[in-house]
Amino acid sequence: AFLVEKTDELFITNIKTFGNDKDLFMRNLEKISMQGKNVYRFAVDKVPESIKEILIKSNLSNKEIDHVFCHQANIRIIKKISQKTNIDISRFHINLNEYGNTSAASIPILVNSVSKTKIKRGEIILLTAFGAGLTVGSIIMKW
C-alpha cells in the first residue's frame, strides 16, 4: 500500500464491483479457482470502461494523462487497455519483466519505482486495477 494525500487538486475515483461466482470462486473452501479467459475478457472490457467513465467525470481527455499505473496482471491485458482507451502504451509504466504479477501490491510497487524520477509535480496520473470478486477501480489525480 501507499498513502496519497487528497488535496483540493484533481482527485476523482471510479470503483465498481461485478459479483461473479462462476469466473472466480473458492472450491471446497480451500482453493481459489479462476476461469482465466473470462477474467481476461472482464479486464479488457471493464477496465477501459472505468477509464473512459473517469475521464468524463474529470473533464479530461486521454491525451491529458501523463502516466498510467495499471495492475500488472499480464502484458496482453495492459496492451489491450492501452489500445481500447487510445492512451499511448508509452504512458503506461510496466514492471512485469522485473516482478511479475504482484497482485494487490502491483500499483504501489510500480508507483514507488518511478515516482522519484519520472513523475513531475502537477502531472496527471491514472491508477487502475481489477481483481478478486471481479472488481475494477480507477483514480485520476494531479501529482
Side-chain angles (χ1 to χ4, degrees), residues 2 66-69 93 110-127 141-143:
F2 66 100
D66 297 303
H67 303 275
V68 180
F69 298 93
H93 294 278
L110 188 57
V111 170
N112 184 60
S113 69
V114 301
S115 64
K116 292 177 181 80
T117 58
K118 296 185 180 174
I119 306 174
K120 296 178 184 89
R121 186 175 192 87
E123 289 185 316
I124 306 297
I125 69 169
L126 168 66
L127 311 168
M141 61 184 278
K142 188 176 281 192
W143 189 256

Side-chain angles (χ1 to χ4, degrees), residues 72-124:
Q72 303 288 290
N74 76 46
I75 193 66
R76 287 178 39 236
I77 291 173
I78 295 170
K79 286 181 178 178
K80 196 66 159 175
I81 291 168
S82 167
Q83 183 181 53
K84 284 189 165 190
T85 59
N86 291 317
I87 299 174
D88 193 273
I89 193 70
S90 67
R91 295 186 193 161
F92 283 72
H93 294 278
I94 299 169
N95 67 359
L96 273 165
N97 56 334
E98 296 173 61
Y99 301 106
N101 180 350
T102 55
S103 190
S106 65
I107 292 176
I109 291 169
L110 188 57
V111 170
N112 184 60
S113 69
V114 301
S115 64
K116 292 177 181 80
T117 58
K118 296 185 180 174
I119 306 174
K120 296 178 184 89
R121 186 175 192 87
E123 289 185 316
I124 306 297

Side-chain angles (χ1 to χ4, degrees), residues 2 4-15 47-70 85 87 91-92 107 111 119 122-129 136-143:
F2 66 100
V4 176
E5 182 179 348
K6 184 178 177 184
T7 67
D8 292 335
E9 298 283 337
L10 175 68
F11 190 95
I12 298 178
T13 63
N14 183 16
I15 301 169
V47 172
E49 270 181 32
S50 176
I51 292 170
K52 289 173 185 177
E53 288 173 9
I54 203 167
L55 285 169
I56 290 168
K57 283 170 72 174
S58 65
N59 293 317
L60 293 171
S61 76
N62 56 357
K63 305 279 188 245
E64 294 175 276
I65 303 299
D66 297 303
H67 303 275
V68 180
F69 298 93
C70 185
T85 59
I87 299 174
R91 295 186 193 161
F92 283 72
I107 292 176
V111 170
I119 306 174
E123 289 185 316
I124 306 297
I125 69 169
L126 168 66
L127 311 168
T128 189
V136 62
S138 299
I139 298 171
I140 287 182
M141 61 184 278
K142 188 176 281 192
W143 189 256

